[in-house]
Amino acid sequence: MRGKQLSEDLVAFCHEQHPRLVGALSLYCGDADVAEEVAQEAIAYAIRDWKRVRQKSSPSAWLYRVALNLAHSHYRRRATERRAQERLPSPPAPSFIDDVEVGSAVRVAVSRLHRRQRQALVLRYFLDLSVAQTADLMECSEGTVKSLTHQAIRSLRRSDVLVDLVEVSDAR
Amino acid sequence: MPADIRTVLQGGAALPRRPLDLEAATLRARWLSWLRRIRVTAVVLLVCLLIAGGVPVVTDWLETTTPPPAGPPSRQGFVPARPGQPTHVLTDLEIEYPYLVASDGSGGRLPDDDCRPQKQECRLDPTRAAVTYGVAWAGDEFPGDTRCRITLEDASGEEVGARTFSLTVLDPSLVRPRLTETAIEVDREPSSASAACEAGDYAPGPGYRLDLMEIRRRGPQRTQLIFEVVFLVPEPDTRMCHLVVHLDDGRTRRFDDFTLTTRRNVRERFTVPIRRRSVSDAEVSCRTYSLD
């Protein structure tokens, strides 16, 4: 990342991945603003490490992993801030769920899932990664990915907005 | 109508409200790159510092674990006891200079008939001085093992030699003529001597536990009792102990108090004038050393 000009393949990669990343992160975080912020940060990491990242078999998978890690770090910071504020005598700050943009019931429903379920769901069905790729990225077995996505969909079915949801096959 | 999860997620995902700002991302990437270099440099520096700092630590450790050299010990770390603290006090310091070395290697303050330089039976060593002193406890309490330091000074008050050594004296006042003597290396002739001792760290309590290991017959009228010594504190120092032997007929025999200063995990043996077949058990009890 020493040159001032970004290589063409890097620019193309960033532009291609940015909307997908924002979408995936908005589902994962439940907050479009946070999603854009984290996506921008993940892209910065990709620019910094592009020489190394471009050699990988799937640069996009690397980017998703970085983005999810950054989102998770963001959550942790928020949780710490919330706990600190709760100790103060002032009224507690709104929780993560309360912060969620009201515009999308889907994002609200997804954001209520367990973190690992959210990860599996977003990676598998939004970013369209295979079970194997998802398992590799989440550092777990393929069976765990299937189980997590199944649990996630079952939980989503229980929410009012997603009662009609059908599960797609995990064959791929 | 049932919905496909992919469709649902696509519909729920937010679209970027702002286009990707590649310039800002590039600037951020540069900052992240610098940050990483700073971190790496900091880690390397920290490791170097740890290595550099570790050498003196290891050296200190080696100095404390290896026996001191024959020369005068260092003054470093010597803290004289404050008034009221249990310690030894060195009294009646006297200097003999130069040091007299007898032909057999012994030396110091020798009786005149043992050393006659004019007869070449001993020689004078101007690099050393002999210092004799008495010892007393600072109070009524046995101070345990203490480190003491004798400093020799010339007429101008400048230090010409010193020696630090460990001292444990069970007598509360060991005075002249039962003097103790030490040889101290000096640069030149000393004219005065001063001494100080550190506070003792004698721990209260029994200090040792003696577990009976074996009862052995040692002749027709004698029995040997073998105990294993267990430390109850790190360095118990001297303790006052007594032996009690339990006999078959239910009686006990208590033997005189004795002092015990021993090493960890050694076996202490006592032979008592009692028939082996009369002895059923034995125990040793210890307490802090006292003159009572």
Side-chain angles (χ1 to χ4, degrees), chain A residues 92-112:
Chain A
S95 69
F96 163 71
I97 298 301
D98 296 331
D99 287 346
V100 172
E101 193 181 68
V102 183
S104 172
V106 175
R107 289 208 293 277
V108 173
V110 174
S111 70
R112 284 183 174 147

Side-chain angles (χ1 to χ4, degrees), chain B residues 153-224:
Chain B
E153 293 168 348
D154 64 9
S156 67
E158 197 174 339
E159 182 178 312
V160 295
R163 184 176 173 81
T164 307
F165 51 94
S166 286
L167 185 67
T168 305
V169 175
L170 296 175
D171 195 322
S173 183
L174 186 66
V175 292
R176 296 175 74 182
R178 295 170 61 199
L179 291 168
T180 312
E181 180 183 284
T182 186
I184 300 175
E185 289 190 16
V186 290
D187 301 330
R188 54 191 177 276
E189 182 173 359
S191 63
S192 63
S194 60
C197 295
E198 290 184 322
D201 55 353
Y202 188 58
Y208 302 105
R209 191 185 76 228
L210 276 77
D211 297 334
L212 182 62
M213 304 288 293
E214 198 178 344
I215 305 173
R216 269 189 202 162
R217 184 173 181 272
R218 300 290 287 177
Q221 299 291 332
R222 297 168 80 82
T223 303
Q224 189 180 49

Side-chain angles (χ1 to χ4, degrees), chain A residues 1 4 6 14-15 23 26 32-33 36 40-41 44 48-49 101 104 107 125-126 128 162 164-166 168, chain B residues 1-6 8-10 12-14 17-18 20-22 25-26 28-30 32-33 36-37:
Chain A
M1 214 284 302
K4 286 186 178 179
L6 303 181
C14 293
H15 282 297
S26 70
D33 290 331
E36 291 211 43
Q40 181 84 10
E41 184 76 353
R48 184 190 71 175
D49 296 331
E101 193 181 68
S104 172
R107 289 208 293 277
Y125 297 123
F126 183 79
D128 228 13
L162 299 167
D164 293 334
L165 190 64
V166 293
V168 293
Chain B
M1 182 181 166
D4 172 10
I5 179 69
R6 286 197 174 88
V8 169
L9 292 179
Q10 293 290 346
R17 281 177 285 192
R18 299 183 295 269
L20 172 63
D21 187 350
L22 264 182
T26 309
R28 177 76 181 146
R30 281 194 189 136
L32 289 171
S33 183
R36 184 163 62 184
R37 280 182 208 167

Side-chain angles (χ1 to χ4, degrees), chain A residues 55-72:
Chain A
Q55 311 290 333
K56 293 187 179 292
S57 57
S58 175
S60 54
W62 179 90
L63 183 66
Y64 301 151
R65 188 202 295 263
V66 169
L68 289 179
N69 287 341
L70 287 171
H72 189 51

Side-chain angles (χ1 to χ4, degrees), chain B residues 221-225 243 245 255 270-275 279:
Chain B
Q221 299 291 332
R222 297 168 80 82
T223 303
Q224 189 180 49
L225 305 159
L243 170 69
V245 178
F255 290 84
F270 304 92
T271 302
V272 293
I274 306 173
R275 288 181 185 179
V279 176

Side-chain angles (χ1 to χ4, degrees), chain A residues 104-133:
Chain A
S104 172
V106 175
R107 289 208 293 277
V108 173
V110 174
S111 70
R112 284 183 174 147
L113 296 174
H114 185 270
R115 181 175 65 87
R116 299 281 285 172
Q117 291 176 1
R118 253 183 297 142
Q119 274 185 0
L121 193 78
V122 170
L123 291 169
R124 274 290 290 123
Y125 297 123
F126 183 79
L127 293 171
D128 228 13
L129 299 187
S130 67
V131 175
Q133 283 175 314

